[in-house]
């Protein structure tokens, strides 16, 4: 579940468009993706994507992005809660 609250921006480093899917490589300058695992869901410019895979949806504006553009990102609330809880637990040790 997403809140719709943007947590930051990262830039598009590269795009690889193929028949039926696209791969978007996004920077991690703000270390937002440090806690993300393969298969996790993230919202990029309001579109829920699976890390390492993407099926382009024609109802989004993702077909218009280009290298150097900045995109909004958000982690689903369940993942954020787990990461925050584990971080707090590890800091107590």
């Amino acid at each position: 579940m997403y809140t719709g609250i943007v947590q930051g921006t990262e830039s598009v480093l590269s795009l690889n468009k193929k028949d039926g899917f696209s791969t978007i490589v996004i920077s991690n300058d703000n270390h937002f993706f440090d806690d993300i695992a393969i298969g996790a869901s993230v919202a990029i410019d309001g579109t829920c994507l699976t890390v390492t895979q993407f099926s382009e949806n024609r109802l989004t504006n993702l077909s218009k992005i280009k290298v150097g553009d900045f995109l909004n990102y958000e982690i689903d609330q369940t993942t954020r809660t787990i990461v925050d809880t584990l971080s707090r637990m590890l800091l107590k040790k």
Side-chain angles (χ1 to χ4, degrees), residues 44-76:
I44 301 295
D45 269 14
T47 301
C48 179
L49 302 176
T50 302
V51 175
T52 73
Q53 289 187 7
F54 170 65
S55 296
E56 189 171 340
N57 181 336
R58 294 174 193 222
L59 298 176
T60 71
N61 64 353
L62 293 177
S63 64
K64 298 177 182 175
I65 64 173
K66 57 189 179 307
V67 173
D69 283 354
F70 283 86
L71 305 175
N72 300 322
Y73 57 76
E74 179 185 3
I75 298 175
D76 71 279

Side-chain angles (χ1 to χ4, degrees), residues 1-92:
M1 176 170 66
Y2 295 96
T3 62
I5 299 170
V6 174
Q7 295 173 309
T9 62
E10 291 290 350
S11 63
V12 177
L13 299 177
S14 67
L15 295 169
N16 186 1
K17 296 182 180 185
K18 295 187 177 182
D19 189 31
F21 71 95
S22 298
T23 301
I24 305 167
V25 177
I26 300 172
S27 67
N28 191 29
D29 295 335
N30 297 309
H31 303 283
F32 177 77
F33 298 108
D34 289 352
D35 299 323
I36 303 299
I38 293 172
S41 295
V42 295
I44 301 295
D45 269 14
T47 301
C48 179
L49 302 176
T50 302
V51 175
T52 73
Q53 289 187 7
F54 170 65
S55 296
E56 189 171 340
N57 181 336
R58 294 174 193 222
L59 298 176
T60 71
N61 64 353
L62 293 177
S63 64
K64 298 177 182 175
I65 64 173
K66 57 189 179 307
V67 173
D69 283 354
F70 283 86
L71 305 175
N72 300 322
Y73 57 76
E74 179 185 3
I75 298 175
D76 71 279
Q77 197 57 45
T78 302
T79 300
R80 181 80 270 147
T81 300
I82 291 169
V83 168
D84 290 347
T85 301
L86 290 174
S87 294
R88 282 193 303 276
M89 290 172 63
L90 292 172
L91 287 175
K92 287 183 180 181

